Amino acid sequence: MNGCAAAAAGAAQIPYREAWGYAVVVPVHIQDLGPFDFLLDTGTDVTVVHQDLARRIGLVATSRRPVASVGGSRLVPQAVAAGLSLGSLPLGPMDVLIHDLTAARAEETLMM
C-alpha cells in the first residue's frame, strides 16, 4: 500500500508505503543526502541510523546514550544529524543513535 499523509489542510504531505502489512516506511533525507527508507515508529522518542549509513553520510558519534531493550541495557553511540527532513518537511538538526541493525535487516528480508 502506498499513500500520502497530511496532518492538516495545507500541511506538508509525507509520502509513505506499507511494509509487511503493519509497518510504515517514510523517505528521510539526512544532511542533504537520500532519500533513505526509515520505519516510522510512533512508540519511540529517538531516531536510529544503521552504522553503515552513518559512515556513508559522515555522521560521527559525539556521545553515548544508554538504551534499554529486551537483551538488557547498553551505551549506544549518538551523533547530531545537521539536517534531517521527512519527505519535504524539514525537521532541523536532530540527535540520532548509531546502531548495528543487521538483525532487523535480516528480519526485513525474511518478511518481504
Side-chain angles (χ1 to χ4, degrees), residues 25-48:
V25 178
V26 294
V28 173
H29 286 84
I30 303 175
Q31 300 181 172
D32 295 325
L33 299 171
F36 305 105
D37 286 342
F38 272 55
L39 290 176
L40 178 65
D41 183 351
T42 60
T44 186
D45 64 349
V46 67
T47 296
V48 181

Side-chain angles (χ1 to χ4, degrees), residues 81-107:
L84 197 133
S85 63
L86 176 60
S88 63
L89 181 65
L91 302 175
M94 182 179 289
D95 290 338
V96 296
L97 298 182
I98 300 171
H99 193 57
D100 179 2
L101 298 170
T102 303
R105 285 182 163 179
E107 185 173 325

